[in-house]
Amino acid sequence: MEQILSFLTMFYKNPHFPKTIFLILCLVLCNTVSKAQHAPFEVTLWPSTPPGNSGLTGPETIDEHGFVHNVTLPSLLVYPAAQEKNTGMAVLIAPGGGYSFLAINHEGKEIAQWLAGNGITGVVLKYRIPNGHHAIPLADAQQGMRLIRENSAKWKIDPNSVGVMGSSAGGHLASTLLTHFDAATRPDFGVLFYPVITFADSLTHRGSVRGLAGENLTSQLRNYYSNEKQVTAQTPPVLLLQSDDDRTVPPQNSIMFYEALKSWQIPAALYTFPSGGHGWGFRPSFRFHDQMKQLLLDWLQNDAGQSR
């Protein structure tokens, strides 16, 4: 900014430089600076080698659907809130993908961009694929919360208004963070799209279980990651959204989590759309896309802060 001011001053002091041109220059440069301030940017999640090792090798790849595979270097993709609308709120977003890939566009970047346009900083968590090493995604999510709060002043975020959002397996990761946290990593609220919640055999999504914990799931791990069993009085408010005809992750997952929240008198809302199946995320082709956005924005603006 100082360099830009110096550049403009040089022209302003030149008596032969037309003032109209000078004003146009000012407007163009100020507009450029404003856009740069709102441009998305990427931040490395860990300052050095991340804890744990998934055992994955080879490069990260993106398939024809835009899904990201083989993630071993986690990061945050930050979409700053528009300055004139900034509410100070931020949301850490975990895309789904069965813990085997990341549906980073329609369950990540597109949501973050929409949030930013509504004054909420969207932060996409590009978490590592666990490859059966179950502790890795939660470690990345917890670090994401720390990093957002550590940079809250720089990113113009209220550190007491940082939530987590997730879809499908990303919803499981988000619900794990909502129930497994310390003082530095506790989200202030949560939003879950058609989440995997339980690891109970009859209701879970087995692909997500296998992706997270591998083939040798112990009873201790099954209990630990059945997040309906991990709700306490300290769990923050949660919004759940799903479709009644979801054949991939049974709707009972969200219902179980909602009931667990209510048993502890945690503020919560559950919306079940009559159709849509699984994995709609922020795709406009979802029949209830506009209604979903309105419900989501209304809840974030009016109900997300009930526990604060």
Side-chain angles (χ1 to χ4, degrees):
M1 179 59 81
E2 290 180 1
Q3 290 177 330
I4 290 173
L5 289 174
S6 176
F7 177 75
L8 291 173
T9 302
M10 177 182 69
F11 283 105
Y12 184 77
K13 289 181 177 180
N14 185 341
H16 303 293
F17 194 80
K19 298 307 178 196
T20 303
I21 303 279
F22 171 78
L23 290 173
I24 292 172
L25 259 178
C26 286
L27 289 171
V28 170
L29 287 170
C30 287
N31 186 52
T32 301
V33 170
S34 177
K35 286 183 178 178
Q37 288 174 338
H38 300 155
F41 58 92
E42 187 169 7
V43 177
T44 301
L45 190 63
W46 296 93
S48 56
T49 303
N53 187 339
S54 67
L56 293 174
T57 58
E60 182 179 298
T61 61
I62 302 175
D63 66 21
E64 67 274 15
H65 305 292
F67 299 157
V68 185
H69 298 259
N70 215 47
V71 179
T72 57
L73 298 174
S75 64
L76 296 180
L77 307 175
V78 184
Y79 289 70
Q83 187 172 347
E84 64 278 7
K85 293 183 178 180
N86 192 3
T87 63
M89 183 179 281
V91 182
L92 179 69
I93 305 165
Y99 285 119
S100 297
F101 59 86
L102 302 183
I104 204 162
N105 291 325
H106 74 288
E107 292 180 348
K109 294 178 181 179
E110 291 171 16
I111 299 175
Q113 187 174 23
W114 177 81
L115 287 170
N118 284 282
I120 301 168
T121 297
V123 184
V124 181
L125 176 65
K126 188 179 174 185
Y127 58 94
R128 288 171 287 166
I129 304 303
N131 191 35
H133 296 75
H134 67 89
I136 284 176
L138 180 57
D140 285 354
Q142 290 173 335
Q143 177 65 4
M145 292 298 292
R146 292 189 199 99
L147 207 56
I148 291 171
R149 289 191 169 121
E150 287 170 5
N151 288 279
S152 59
K154 186 193 306 183
W155 297 350
K156 296 180 173 55
I157 290 167
D158 176 357
N160 299 309
S161 189
V162 182
V164 66
M165 178 184 293
S167 304
S168 193
H172 183 265
L173 177 54
S175 69
T176 305
L177 183 61
L178 287 164
T179 52
H180 303 71
F181 52 76
D182 57 24
T185 61
R186 179 187 181 273
D188 295 296
F189 58 87
V191 178
L192 307 177
F193 293 88
Y194 41 85
V196 178
I197 293 292
T198 188
F199 270 23
D201 232 7
S202 59
L203 292 173
T204 194
H205 177 246
R206 295 185 181 182
S208 295
V209 174
R210 188 166 53 251
L212 183 65
E215 299 294 342
N216 300 309
L217 181 68
T218 65
S219 58
Q220 289 84 359
L221 282 180
R222 187 184 297 278
N223 184 71
Y224 184 82
Y225 287 116
S226 290
N227 292 323
E228 78 281 5
K229 298 180 179 180
Q230 306 302 329
V231 175
T232 69
Q234 284 70 50
T235 304
V238 179
L239 170 66
L240 299 112
L241 304 111
Q242 62 173 354
S243 292
D244 184 63
D245 62 349
D246 192 330
R247 300 290 179 263
T248 302
V249 177
Q252 288 93 324
N253 278 257
S254 291
I255 294 168
M256 292 166 70
F257 199 63
Y258 175 81
E259 290 178 340
L261 292 164
K262 299 320 297 178
S263 73
W264 286 96
Q265 299 182 326
I266 306 298
L270 169 61
Y271 293 105
T272 302
F273 301 104
S275 63
H278 187 80
W280 29 267
F282 240 60
R283 287 175 173 149
S285 57
F286 175 48
R287 177 182 161 194
F288 303 99
H289 179 70
D290 291 335
Q291 294 95 318
M292 179 274 294
K293 288 193 296 184
Q294 186 56 50
L295 290 169
L296 173 57
L297 188 60
D298 181 79
W299 189 87
L300 288 171
Q301 291 174 338
N302 297 297
D303 301 300
Q306 289 186 58
S307 69
R308 283 179 254 145

